[in-house]
């Protein structure tokens, strides 16, 4: 199973690897998901994302991943925000921030 997780602000890649063996990438930005789904993983985890220096990850690219059969999970910061906006499309939200 191939898992890709976007983080780095809420938890370091080093610390995250102690919890789950996955392909850790920097906080997600616009078009990262669209590029990733050319060779899609089984699961995409979004924890952190950028939104000041670059355009934030687009709703449409997350929906494209979900429609392509990828499980997309969001928690933490940007992940919780996008999950709250896209749970009706199948994105899975986790954690306290998502629940709020």
């Amino acid at each position: 199973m191939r898992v890709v997780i976007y983080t780095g602000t809420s938890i370091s890649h080093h610390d995250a690897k102690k919890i789950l063996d996955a392909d850790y990438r920097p906080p997600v930005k616009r078009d990262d998901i669209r590029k990733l789904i050319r060779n899609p993983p089984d699961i995409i985890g979004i924890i952190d994302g950028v939104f000041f220096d670059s355009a934030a990850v687009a709703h449409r690219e997350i929906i494209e991943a979900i429609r392509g059969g990828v499980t997309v999970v969001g928690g933490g910061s940007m992940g919780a925000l996008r999950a709250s906006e896209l749970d009706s499309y199948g994105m899975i939200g986790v954690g306290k921030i998502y629940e709020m």
Side-chain angles (χ1 to χ4, degrees):
M1 179 172 293
R2 186 167 163 239
V3 179
V4 174
I5 300 177
Y6 293 94
T7 192
T9 306
S10 298
I11 186 170
S12 71
H13 294 181
H14 176 31
D15 289 342
K17 287 179 182 181
K18 294 176 187 177
I19 300 167
L20 178 69
D21 183 26
D23 175 359
Y24 289 95
R25 300 194 179 185
V28 69
K29 63 184 181 307
R30 180 75 46 97
D31 290 326
D32 282 349
I33 304 284
R34 189 165 282 132
K35 291 174 187 172
L36 180 64
I37 62 175
R38 292 178 187 152
N39 180 22
D42 300 292
I43 300 171
I44 296 172
I46 301 173
I47 299 173
D48 298 311
V50 299
F51 48 89
F52 288 122
D53 298 341
S54 300
V57 62
H59 299 81
R60 171 63 57 205
E61 59 189 297
I62 295 170
I63 293 169
E64 288 174 16
I66 293 167
R67 288 185 177 158
V70 178
T71 299
V72 183
V73 180
S77 63
M78 178 62 76
L81 174 63
R82 287 296 183 257
S84 72
E85 297 164 335
L86 298 174
D87 54 9
S88 62
Y89 290 90
M91 186 169 177
I92 300 166
V94 297
K96 299 267 185 215
I97 295 172
Y98 170 74
E99 291 170 7
M100 294 188 323

